[in-house]
C-alpha cells in the first residue's frame, strides 16, 4: 500500500510559470550605465579641439563636466601636461572612451 | 558612489576644494593662466586674483614659431563658457 | 493623425547593430550601438574614429565609448562607414 499523498498533477500552474525575465547583462548599454561602469577606470576624454586627456575618471555630472585624476594631456600624440586632478567643462567633451576593460 | 579616494562626489567638488588655492585654468583661444580662486558658479564663471596669464601666439610662416606672451592682473572675472579645464594645485 | 515613426524609434531599432555617425565637423565614427539617450549621446563599442584633415584621414580605434550628442550631424544605420 502506498501511504504517501498523491503526486501533484503534472499541469500544476506553479511549476509551469516561466522564471522572471532575466536581464542578459547588468548593463543595458545606456549612457548612464556606461558612465556607472567607467567611474574609477582609466579613460580617454577627447575634446572637440582634438586634445586628449587620459586619466582615471573620478566622477562626472549631467553636463558631462568631468573630474579626472592622474591626468595626462596629449596633443598630437605627445604628452604636453600632467595634472594631479583636472576639472574639464562638459561642453568641450567630444567623447569619453574606456581605456581598460569595464 | 565615487571612484576617488578624496571623497569628491561631483566634478564641481574639485573646484570647491580649490577655493583660496592657486589653480591652473585653460581657456579657449590657447589661453592659460594661474590664479588664486576666490569664487565660482555652475557656469564655471570664476573670480581669480594674483593672475598670471600665458598667451600662445603662433607666428605663421615658413617655420611656424610659437611665442608666449605673459601678463599679470590683480583681480579677474573669467566667463565660464571659455573654460576648458581647471586643475587644482597638486596634492602630492 | 497619421501614424508615424519617431526618428529616435528608428535609432532604437539599431541597438546591437553597426552604425555610422557623422559629426558637424570633419569627423566620423563607426561602431556597434549599445545605447543612447534623449540627447542622442551614444554608447558605441568597437569604435573607429575618422578625422578628415588636409593631410588625409586619421583613424583611431577605441573601445567602449560615450559619444557626446551635441555635435552629431547624421546617423547612418547598418553602415560600417566611409570605408564600406
Amino acid at each position: 500500500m502506498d501511504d504517501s499523498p498523491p503526486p501533484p498533477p503534472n499541469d500544476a500552474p506553479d511549476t509551469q510559470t516561466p522564471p522572471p525575465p532575466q536581464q542578459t547583462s547588468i548593463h543595458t548599454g545606456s549612457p548612464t550605465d556606461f558612465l556607472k561602469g567607467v567611474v574609477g577606470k582609466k579613460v580617454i576624454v577627447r575634446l572637440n579641439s582634438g586634445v586628449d586627456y587620459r586619466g582615471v575618471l573620478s566622477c562626472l555630472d549631467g553636463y558631462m563636466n568631468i573630474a579626472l585624476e592622474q591626468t595626462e594631456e596629449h596633443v598630437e600624440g605627445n604628452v604636453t601636461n600632467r595634472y594631479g586632478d583636472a576639472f574639464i567643462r562638459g561642453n568641450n567633451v567630444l567623447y569619453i572612451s574606456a581605456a581598460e576593460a569595464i | 558612489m565615487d571612484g576617488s579616494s578624496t571623497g569628491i562626489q561631483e566634478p564641481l567638488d574639485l573646484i570647491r576644494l580649490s577655493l583660496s588655492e592657486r589653480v591652473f585654468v585653460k581657456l579657449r583661444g590657447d589661453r592659460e593662466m594661474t590664479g588664486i580662486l576666490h569664487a565660482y558658479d555652475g557656469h564655471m564663471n570664476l573670480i581669480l586674483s594674483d593672475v598670471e596669464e600665458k598667451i600662445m601666439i603662433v607666428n605663421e610662416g615658413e617655420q611656424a614659431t610659437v611665442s608666449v606672451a605673459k601678463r599679470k592682473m590683480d583681480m579677474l572675472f573669467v566667463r565660464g563658457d571659455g573654460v576648458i579645464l581647471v586643475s587644482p594645485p597638486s596634492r602630492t | 493623425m497619421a501614424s508615424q515613426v519617431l526618428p529616435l524609434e528608428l535609432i532604437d531599432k539599431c541597438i546591437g547593430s553597426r552604425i555610422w555617425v557623422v559629426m558637424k565637423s570633419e569627423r566620423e565614427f563607426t561602431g556597434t550601438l549599445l545605447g543612447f539617450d534623449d540627447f542622442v549621446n551614444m554608447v558605441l563599442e568597437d569604435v573607429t574614429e575618422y578625422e578628415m584633415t588636409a593631410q588625409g584621414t586619421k583613424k583611431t580605434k577605441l573601445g567602449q565609448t560615450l559619444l557626446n550628442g551635441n555635435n552629431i550631424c547624421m546617423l547612418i544605420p547598418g553602415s560600417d562607414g566611409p570605408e564600406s
Side-chain angles (χ1 to χ4, degrees):
Chain A
M1 270 307 259
D2 189 1
D3 292 335
S4 61
N10 277 338
D11 59 347
D14 275 350
T15 60
Q16 294 293 345
T17 43
Q22 208 78 46
Q23 289 280 27
T24 48
S25 142
I26 306 159
H27 299 290
T28 60
S30 72
T32 316
D33 291 328
F34 171 82
L35 292 172
K36 277 182 193 160
V38 87
V39 167
K41 299 276 173 38
K42 282 208 74 175
V43 294
I44 303 165
V45 176
R46 177 162 289 188
L47 308 188
N48 290 310
S49 62
V51 177
D52 283 352
Y53 293 92
R54 291 161 181 259
V56 176
L57 183 65
S58 300
C59 57
L60 39 73
D61 64 19
Y63 297 107
M64 265 197 222
N65 292 326
I66 294 172
L68 279 183
E69 294 176 322
Q70 303 157 37
T71 309
E72 288 178 351
E73 180 183 80
H74 292 249
V75 178
E76 288 159 13
N78 307 309
V79 177
T80 47
N81 254 321
R82 289 177 209 274
Y83 311 104
D85 284 298
F87 170 96
I88 299 170
R89 200 174 188 266
N91 64 312
N92 301 293
V93 174
L94 172 67
Y95 62 67
I96 304 166
S97 186
E100 61 178 309
I102 298 178
Chain B
M1 177 61 191
D2 63 303
S4 156
S5 53
T6 52
I8 60 168
Q9 263 133 40
E10 56 164 345
L12 284 166
D13 289 350
L14 211 54
I15 310 299
R16 183 172 49 80
L17 293 168
S18 308
L19 282 167
S20 308
E21 305 261 19
R22 181 163 288 273
V23 294
F24 170 86
V25 181
K26 196 173 158 73
L27 299 173
R28 294 184 171 216
D30 282 325
R31 289 176 198 274
E32 296 181 355
M33 56 181 65
T34 66
I36 311 291
L37 180 65
H38 288 276
Y40 71 95
D41 62 20
H43 301 290
M44 267 307 110
N45 293 324
L46 306 173
I47 299 287
L48 300 173
S49 74
D50 195 12
V51 180
E52 183 168 288
E53 181 189 359
K54 246 167 65 169
I55 311 163
M56 308 292 187
I57 301 160
V58 180
N59 306 301
E60 299 287 347
E62 278 297 301
Q63 281 185 306
T65 56
V66 180
S67 52
V68 178
K70 277 192 179 179
R71 57 181 173 183
K72 295 191 175 190
M73 290 152 287
D74 287 340
M75 191 62 86
L76 193 64
F77 170 88
V78 179
R79 193 175 146 94
D81 60 357
V83 173
I84 294 173
L85 177 142
V86 180
S87 180
S90 176
R91 280 182 281 122
T92 54
Chain C
M1 183 74 177
S3 76
Q4 62 162 9
V5 179
L6 294 168
L8 290 187
E9 286 178 23
L10 187 70
I11 302 308
D12 196 68
K13 293 194 192 306
C14 299
I15 287 177
S17 310
R18 299 294 287 176
I19 194 163
W20 179 15
V21 183
V22 179
M23 310 301 285
K24 292 176 193 165
S25 59
E26 293 296 302
R27 198 189 289 276
E28 301 177 1
F29 295 86
T30 61
T32 303
L33 180 62
L34 298 186
F36 65 96
D37 61 18
D38 288 349
F39 303 109
V40 204
N41 298 319
M42 314 186 86
V43 182
L44 301 172
E45 193 169 53
D46 301 323
V47 181
T48 308
E49 176 185 5
Y50 301 88
E51 288 177 85
M52 288 70 161
T53 65
Q55 288 78 27
T57 301
K58 188 180 161 212
K59 280 202 321 184
T60 311
K61 299 271 187 198
L62 299 164
Q64 261 196 40
T65 299
L66 172 64
L67 181 61
N68 194 336
N70 220 352
N71 298 305
I72 291 175
C73 178
M74 305 189 279
L75 303 171
I76 299 107
S79 171
D80 217 1
E83 296 178 311
S84 65

